[in-house]
């Protein structure tokens, strides 16, 4: 009788596990159907998915012995559940922009590797299982790249290469070439990311530095009542064709998304904080009681919505990452960000793309006759012709390229505060966007050209975006400084900090001079954006880039220096002697003083 009762109990455990496993798969697969834009459309669904995976993970921990003997639970199946939870956290990070969820994804991915859940995948004689293992490695590498765990990234790449070799030799699969390309992409991305190496003084090993915003790197600011705006929504678009990329992240996107995030903190809202728990006699497992319950999922308006209706500000602005989007996709996501803006919120649009050039000799409409930016590559029809391209003939000159983003396409979005960064060889055409609606509007535009010796390394990412990401790295890069000892780096970084502090003071003084004396005018848009930590950082790093390139002997043409609209004042800011002096002092510290002239290049060059 006792035996029958035990068998019935075991049968119920197996049935409940099968039910939870099937339910979790259904919910996970349903995530693909959720809209990528907006907030409220997907949040409740994510909460239900987290709840089911929490139950599933705890259930297999509590009943591991029964599931091993009666269900035949294999270690790779446990690994698959953990991998799904890691993916949930990673996608939750992508949708919320909260970097702490990356740490949660990392903890599950690391547990899979540490406990060798996939170690016997090759023994199962199932190529689909090996593909799951390879995909796990690729996802883990992305998370480690974003967390700057570069030593581990290199170890994972070696392991992935070995796994790909084993997979292709064992099964001779049709996707062998695809996995070889994935491996090449990863290696190329890592190489491009290492623009400048910072080395330990003792052993000359590279040190990985984070370039996310922290209290130590936030530029100072003398607050004023006009500084009313905060950055709430971000679109990061990467469409540069020849740039290093991995997992739909170009190098420019990778750098910019870190620039627009704060350094993860040890503790954070919306997530219970419990240590790793032990999962029975076999191993320790990541704690799913750290998974957000439905009532603890971060809200959509920049704060955490807790069960007791308490609210706290979220750390990072919400952002969308778009890799080579079509024009219609870009417009949908831009409209969604526009719609979600709170009353005092600002939207940032960053685009890294190749230029789409106009042949109009006498343009009259600056919105559409100067060209723009190429987005997704044009689709080819079966007969090899461009789909959607206007017909040839006398009227062809009257048509515009349908896959091009023109300045005029963005006019409707200037109804709300808009901060734009255009990194392209046709960036200057965006200087003519009018302020029809009187809202704050700032446009930072990259140089349209670079010296000959930098044109062959476009694959490594844009110099302009590198300046916005890490000014000191960019300065070293344009002076061919490949590595710097850590103590020397820190000394040089102090000059960058001095520059930023001085530039911030000059911006504030320009505004005060305008109010008191009517001189040194700086557009009010800059002042309104200047109160936000991220936007202030971008403005001041733009100033650093402009001053450095003005002084650099190789960047002599006007097209080799950045522009901004509205223009920042010259003598009072961009050409101020104190800023030029700091750049030259920094060049001396780096022993590259010969790359710079004492007098900035004339504006007309």
């Amino acid at each position: 009788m006792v035996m029958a009762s035990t068998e019935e109990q075991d049968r119920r455990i197996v049935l409940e596990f099968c039910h939870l496993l099937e339910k979790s798969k259904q919910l996970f697969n349903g995530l693909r159907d959720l809209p990528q834009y907006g907030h409220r459309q997907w949040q409740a669904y994510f909460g239900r998915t987290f709840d089911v995976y929490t139950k599933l993970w705890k259930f297999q921990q509590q009943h591991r012995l029964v599931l091993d003997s009666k269900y035949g639970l294999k270690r790779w199946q446990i690994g698959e559940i953990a991998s799904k939870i890691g993916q949930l956290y990673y996608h939750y990070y992508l949708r919320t922009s909260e970097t702490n969820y990356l740490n949660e994804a990392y903890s599950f991915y690391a547990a899979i590797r540490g406990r060798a859940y996939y170690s016997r995948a090759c023994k199962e004689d199932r190529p689909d299982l090996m593909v799951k293992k390879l995909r796990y490695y690729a996802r883990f590498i992305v998370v480690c790249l974003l967390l700057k765990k570069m030593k581990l990234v290199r170890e994972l790449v070696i392991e992935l290469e070995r796994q790909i070799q084993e997979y292709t030799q064992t099964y001779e699969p049709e996707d062998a070439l695809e996995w070889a390309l994935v491996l090449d992409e990863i290696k190329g991305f890592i190489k491009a990311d290492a623009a400048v190496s910072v080395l330990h003084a003792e052993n000359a090993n590279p040190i990985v530095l984070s370039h996310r915003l922290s209290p130590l790197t936030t530029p100072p600011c003398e607050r004023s009542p006009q500084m009313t705006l905060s950055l709430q929504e971000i679109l990061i678009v990467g469409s540069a064709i020849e740039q290093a990329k991995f997992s739909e992240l170009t190098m420019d996107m990778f750098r910019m998304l870190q620039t627009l995030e704060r350094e993860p903190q040890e503790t954070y809202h919306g997530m219970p904080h419990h240590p790793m728990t032990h999962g029975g006699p076999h191993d320790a497992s990541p704690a799913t009681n750290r998974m957000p319950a439905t009532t603890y999922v971060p809200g959509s308006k920049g704060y955490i919505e807790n069960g007791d209706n308490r609210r706290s500000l979220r750390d990072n602005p919400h952002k969308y990452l778009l890799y080579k989007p079509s024009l219609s996709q870009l417009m949908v996501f831009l409209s969604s960000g526009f719609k979600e803006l709170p009353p005092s919120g600002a939207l940032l649009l960053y685009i890294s793309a190749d230029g789409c050039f106009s042949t109009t000799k006498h343009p009259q409409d600056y919105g559409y006759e100067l060209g723009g930016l190429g987005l997704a590559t044009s689709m080819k029809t079966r007969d090899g012709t461009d789909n959607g391209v206007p017909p040839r003939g006398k009227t062809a000159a009257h048509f515009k390229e349908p896959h091009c983003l023109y300045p005029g396409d963005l006019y409707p979005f200037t109804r709300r505060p808009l901060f734009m960064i255009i990194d392209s060889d046709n960036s200057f055409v965006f200087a003519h966007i009018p302020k029809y609606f009187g809202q704050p509007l700032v446009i930072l535009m990259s140089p349209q050209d670079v010296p000959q010796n930098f044109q062959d390394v476009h694959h490594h990412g844009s110099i302009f975006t590198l300046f916005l990401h890490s000014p000191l790295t960019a300065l070293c890069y344009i002076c061919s400084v490949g590595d710097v000892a850590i103590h020397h780096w820190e000394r040089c970084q102090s000059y960058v900090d001095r520059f930023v502090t001085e530039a911030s003071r000059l911006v504030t003084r320009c505004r005060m001079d305008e109010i008191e004396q009517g001189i040194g005018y700086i557009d009010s848009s800059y002042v309104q954006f200047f109160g936000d930590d991220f936007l202030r950082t971008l403005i001041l790093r733009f100033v650093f880039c402009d001053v450095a390139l003005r002084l650099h002997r190789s960047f002599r043409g006007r097209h080799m220096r950045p522009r901004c609209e509205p223009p920042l004042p010259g003598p009072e800011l961009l050409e101020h002697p104190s800023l030029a002096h700091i750049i030259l002092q920094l060049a001396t510290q780096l022993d590259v003083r010969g790359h710079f002239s004492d007098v900035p290049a004339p504006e007309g060059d």
Side-chain angles (χ1 to χ4, degrees):
M1 191 73 179
V2 174
M3 181 71 71
S5 175
T6 302
E7 288 183 359
E8 176 64 20
Q9 187 176 4
D10 290 351
R11 189 179 73 85
R12 289 179 179 175
I13 289 173
V14 170
L15 287 175
E16 178 64 15
F17 176 78
C18 291
H19 168 73
L20 288 173
L21 186 63
E22 183 60 29
K23 183 67 175 176
S24 68
K25 289 179 179 178
Q26 291 175 0
L27 287 168
F28 190 89
N29 292 336
L31 293 173
R32 300 190 189 100
D33 301 325
L34 294 177
Q36 296 296 312
Y37 51 86
H39 298 289
R40 300 195 184 280
Q41 296 96 321
W42 55 265
Q43 229 154 10
Y45 192 96
F46 253 90
R48 291 198 301 274
T49 308
F50 270 121
D51 283 345
V52 170
Y53 272 97
T54 298
K55 293 175 184 176
L56 176 63
W57 188 260
K58 289 181 178 178
F59 193 85
Q60 64 84 21
Q61 286 179 321
Q62 294 165 0
H63 303 287
R64 183 74 61 80
L65 288 176
V66 173
L67 293 172
D68 282 351
S69 60
K70 303 297 183 181
Y71 177 80
L73 184 66
K74 296 181 171 59
R75 290 189 64 78
W76 67 261
Q77 292 173 303
I78 302 171
E80 190 172 6
I81 297 171
S83 179
K84 289 284 201 307
I85 296 171
Q87 290 177 62
L88 274 176
Y89 274 119
Y90 175 67
H91 286 287
Y92 205 70
Y93 155 73
L94 290 180
R95 288 177 178 269
T96 63
S97 304
E98 291 305 326
T99 43
N100 291 293
Y101 295 121
L102 275 176
N103 288 322
E104 297 301 317
Y106 171 81
S107 70
F108 278 91
Y109 285 147
I112 293 170
R113 179 174 180 254
R115 288 144 203 173
Y117 283 140
Y118 281 124
S119 61
R120 299 187 61 82
C122 57
K123 306 289 193 299
E124 296 285 334
D125 194 26
R126 287 179 51 185
D128 62 314
L129 185 55
M130 279 297 292
V131 169
K132 288 181 180 180
K133 185 176 183 179
L134 298 181
R135 288 175 177 167
Y136 151 73
Y137 267 103
R139 293 182 181 116
F140 193 13
I141 288 170
V142 171
V143 169
C144 290
L145 280 170
L146 289 168
L147 290 173
K148 305 298 287 186
K149 297 180 182 291
M150 300 309 296
K151 182 175 182 292
L152 180 54
V153 165
R154 292 181 174 87
E155 293 175 6
L156 291 172
V157 169
I158 293 172
E159 292 176 21
L160 175 60
E161 186 168 19
R162 187 166 61 244
Q163 296 295 331
I164 290 174
Q165 289 175 350
E166 185 175 3
Y167 170 60
T168 54
Q169 290 171 2
T170 303
Y171 299 106
E172 298 181 356
E174 293 181 357
D175 59 354
L177 181 59
E178 294 175 26
W179 281 108
L181 290 174
V182 168
L183 192 63
D184 288 342
E185 270 192 359
I186 298 171
K187 291 180 177 179
F189 194 90
I190 294 170
K191 181 180 178 181
D193 185 40
V196 176
S197 298
V198 181
L199 307 176
H200 276 287
E202 296 83 8
N203 52 25
N205 287 331
I207 299 173
V208 179
L209 301 177
S210 172
H211 297 294
R212 288 184 169 93
L213 200 63
S214 73
L216 293 177
T217 59
T218 302
C221 175
E222 186 178 331
R223 302 281 172 177
S224 73
Q226 292 81 22
M227 298 176 184
T228 55
L229 298 174
S230 65
L231 181 59
Q232 291 292 321
E233 295 287 333
I234 301 170
L235 266 76
I236 297 177
V237 182
S239 289
I241 294 176
E242 296 182 358
Q243 197 169 109
K245 52 86 62 176
F246 178 53
S247 184
E248 299 198 339
L249 272 181
T250 66
M251 183 54 64
D252 284 348
M253 294 173 70
F254 178 67
R255 286 170 176 160
M256 187 51 61
L257 77 87
Q258 294 175 75
T259 305
L260 295 169
E261 291 177 349
R262 296 186 189 278
E263 198 65 44
Q265 302 300 308
E266 288 299 318
T267 60
Y268 49 100
H269 302 286
M271 301 283 287
H273 317 298
H274 297 290
M276 302 281 276
T277 58
H278 289 275
H282 290 82
D283 58 9
S285 301
T288 51
N289 50 3
R290 291 199 289 181
M291 296 171 68
T294 307
T295 54
Y296 284 89
V297 175
S300 63
K301 294 296 184 183
Y303 44 76
I304 308 299
E305 298 174 322
N306 291 323
D308 57 0
N309 294 321
R310 289 183 295 109
R311 294 177 177 181
S312 54
L313 292 176
R314 72 177 174 209
D315 285 338
N316 295 318
H318 175 259
K319 61 180 174 292
Y320 296 112
L321 304 176
L322 301 180
Y323 172 69
K324 292 188 177 179
S326 66
L327 183 65
S328 59
Q329 287 174 322
L330 176 59
M331 288 299 161
V332 166
F333 281 85
L334 198 51
S335 298
S336 178
F338 184 89
K339 178 184 176 183
E340 297 289 344
L341 277 184
S344 296
L347 186 148
L348 185 150
L349 173 61
Y350 167 89
I351 305 181
S352 166
D354 300 307
C356 182
F357 297 91
S358 171
T359 57
T360 304
K361 294 182 179 179
H362 304 289
Q364 295 179 340
D365 180 0
Y366 285 176
Y368 288 94
E369 293 187 350
L370 292 176
L373 306 177
L375 294 178
T377 52
S378 59
M379 297 171 60
K380 299 285 186 181
T381 59
R382 289 178 184 267
D383 61 3
T385 60
D386 282 340
N387 183 22
V389 173
R392 297 180 181 274
K394 293 182 180 180
T395 60
H398 298 292
F399 292 99
K400 307 302 177 191
E401 167 58 52
H403 303 289
C404 176
L405 176 71
Y406 293 94
D409 294 328
L410 301 176
Y411 288 5
F413 301 102
T414 61
R415 287 176 168 86
R416 299 296 302 275
L418 180 62
F419 194 103
M420 293 172 54
I421 302 173
I422 307 296
D423 196 333
S424 172
D425 53 357
N426 198 29
S427 60
F428 294 173
V429 301
F430 286 81
H432 305 286
I433 295 179
K435 293 174 65 172
Y436 282 138
F437 306 100
Q439 292 292 314
L441 174 66
V442 164
I443 308 165
L444 307 183
M445 294 159 281
S446 71
Q448 291 193 155
D449 199 6
V450 293
Q452 186 65 41
N453 55 316
F454 291 107
Q455 291 180 359
D456 295 335
V457 290
H458 182 67
H459 180 75
H460 292 177
S462 162
I463 292 174
F464 180 64
T465 293
L466 187 57
F467 267 105
L468 299 181
H469 174 63
S470 171
L472 182 52
T473 301
L475 191 76
C476 290
Y477 186 70
I478 64 172
C479 296
S480 302
V481 176
D483 51 71
V484 183
I486 181 61
H487 63 278
H488 194 43
W489 175 273
E490 290 173 348
R491 189 182 308 122
C492 292
Q493 186 61 47
S494 69
Y495 284 92
V496 177
D497 296 340
R498 274 178 52 198
F499 182 101
V500 167
T501 301
E502 175 65 4
S504 180
R505 185 188 70 82
L506 290 173
V507 168
T508 304
R509 195 177 79 176
C510 286
R511 186 61 176 166
M512 294 304 298
D513 286 348
E514 181 207 346
I515 294 172
E516 296 172 4
Q517 306 168 29
I519 62 173
Y521 176 77
I522 184 168
D523 191 275
S524 62
S525 293
Y526 288 103
V527 180
Q528 289 173 276
F529 287 132
F530 210 67
D532 181 87
D533 291 346
F534 292 106
L535 299 180
R536 181 170 67 258
T537 299
L538 291 170
I539 291 169
L540 296 174
R541 288 178 179 176
F542 174 88
V543 174
F544 184 98
C545 175
D546 185 89
V547 175
L549 296 189
R550 280 172 184 266
L551 292 167
H552 200 286
R553 296 183 187 276
S554 297
F555 293 78
R556 304 312 289 174
R558 184 64 190 95
H559 279 56
M560 291 189 182
R561 298 198 299 276
R563 287 188 186 179
C564 59
E565 187 62 37
L568 286 166
E572 297 84 3
L573 182 60
L574 299 179
E575 301 166 20
H576 199 280
S578 64
L579 298 182
H581 182 63
I582 296 173
I583 292 290
L584 296 178
Q585 285 183 310
L586 175 55
T588 301
Q589 282 291 323
L590 287 167
D591 197 23
V592 292
R593 183 62 177 79
H595 284 78
F596 296 87
S597 59
D598 293 318
V599 181
E603 190 62 33
D605 267 15

